[in-house]
Each structure stands twice: as C-alpha cells, then as structure tokens.
Amino acid sequence: YMFSQTILNNILVGNTKTSKPIALEKINQSIIQLLIEEDLLETIVKIGMQFEVGTKGDRLSGGQRQKLAIARSFLKNPRVLIMDEATSALDNKSQSRIQKQLETRWKGSSTMIAVVHRLDMAKTCDKVAVMKAGSIVEVGPYDDLIAKKGMLYELVTGKK
C-alpha cells in the first residue's frame, strides 16, 4: 500500500522511532545508500526522496510502486515475507536484480512465501507448491518436481 506522502515516508512507514534531526538524517542517508547500492529505485532516486507519490502511488509506474514496496521490506528485514507477484511489473533486468537480492538477503535467515507466474523465479526456492484449479497438486524442491515430470515440468517445458 502506498500512502499519499513522499517516497522517503513511504519507505520508512513504521520504522522511524525518533524525531531528532541528526538521527533522521542518518536514517535517510542509510536508506538512500541502500537504494543506490541495490539499484532498486534508480529513476525515483533521480526524482528525489521528497517526491510526492500521489494517492496510492498513482504518480509512480507499476514497477516503481513494486520497487518502493520491496525497498520498504528490505529496510524492515522481516522474519516472514509474503510476496504476491511482487515483480510482475518489472523489466527482466530489474526482476533478476531483485531476485538475486531476495536469494542472498533472506536465504537461510527468513521465510519467504511468493506467489509467482514467472516460473524462472521458482528455481531458487527451497520448496515449490504447484496449484491447479485452486488445489495444490505438487510440493517439493524445484529440481525434484522437474525430474518427476509432473505438473511443474509440463508448465516449464510445455511437454506432457
């Protein structure tokens, strides 16, 4: 969810516990540095962290909204992260960068549950659950499910 505030305030939702200017400046610089290093908000950083995103983020593209939400989750570093088509509006390069960050940032330290339609994202998951008509039809590691030549195999290869 995007609030009709600045980019910075949208990233900081629920994180700032101080009103001291020096502490806030350090927080702001840390966030900006993270965003630049991870290349998450390349165009937004150019616009500025004080850019007003509009009602529900309507002044941002779908990809920019997704990157903003991911940046917020990176800052919060949750123990459980649930993502529903979190990179669907991103170009392949951005999606790949974020996928690598998710693999390195959360692998082994947090639980991530992701709903994906881009099957290439499932390759790095510890477990994959394949659904058909609202029911789970397969569960297991990606490579095991491919080797079984079941539903995931059919979806990935287009072969029966």
Side-chain angles (χ1 to χ4, degrees), residues 10-158:
N10 270 283
I11 294 170
L12 289 174
V13 169
N15 277 348
T16 52
K17 306 236 187 308
T18 183
S19 60
K20 295 180 182 178
I22 293 172
L24 286 174
E25 183 60 27
K26 282 187 174 185
I27 291 169
N28 293 349
Q29 290 304 315
S30 296
I31 292 167
I32 291 167
Q33 187 60 39
L34 172 70
L35 296 176
I36 291 168
E37 286 173 7
E38 306 304 343
D39 207 17
L40 289 173
L41 296 173
E42 52 280 320
T43 55
I44 294 175
V45 170
K46 290 176 190 171
I47 294 169
M49 297 301 278
Q50 298 306 317
F51 180 78
E52 294 281 338
V53 301
T55 306
K56 297 183 181 178
D58 66 352
R59 293 184 65 199
L60 301 174
S61 70
Q64 288 171 325
R65 283 193 300 272
Q66 286 183 329
K67 289 175 182 179
L68 184 74
I70 291 167
R72 183 188 298 162
S73 65
F74 277 11
L75 179 64
K76 290 184 184 226
N77 200 20
R79 291 190 336 205
V80 176
L81 180 63
I82 300 173
M83 302 176 82
D84 185 0
E85 289 295 327
T87 59
S88 61
L90 301 181
D91 58 85
N92 287 337
K93 183 179 175 186
S94 293
Q95 187 267 331
S96 178
R97 262 194 328 264
I98 289 172
Q99 181 66 24
K100 285 179 186 166
Q101 284 302 313
L102 291 170
E103 291 170 28
T104 58
R105 190 172 292 269
W106 275 288
K107 197 82 168 178
S109 64
S110 296
T111 299
M112 183 176 74
I113 300 168
V115 175
V116 299
H117 288 96
R118 291 168 83 165
L119 298 176
D120 56 321
M121 291 187 67
K123 291 178 184 177
T124 59
C125 295
D126 294 329
K127 285 189 183 176
V128 176
V130 181
M131 293 186 72
K132 182 176 181 179
S135 297
I136 295 176
V137 294
E138 288 183 323
V139 177
Y142 181 89
D143 291 337
D144 292 358
L145 296 180
I146 293 295
K148 285 183 182 178
K149 295 191 175 186
M151 182 61 70
L152 181 63
Y153 175 83
E154 289 179 25
L155 290 170
V156 170
T157 65

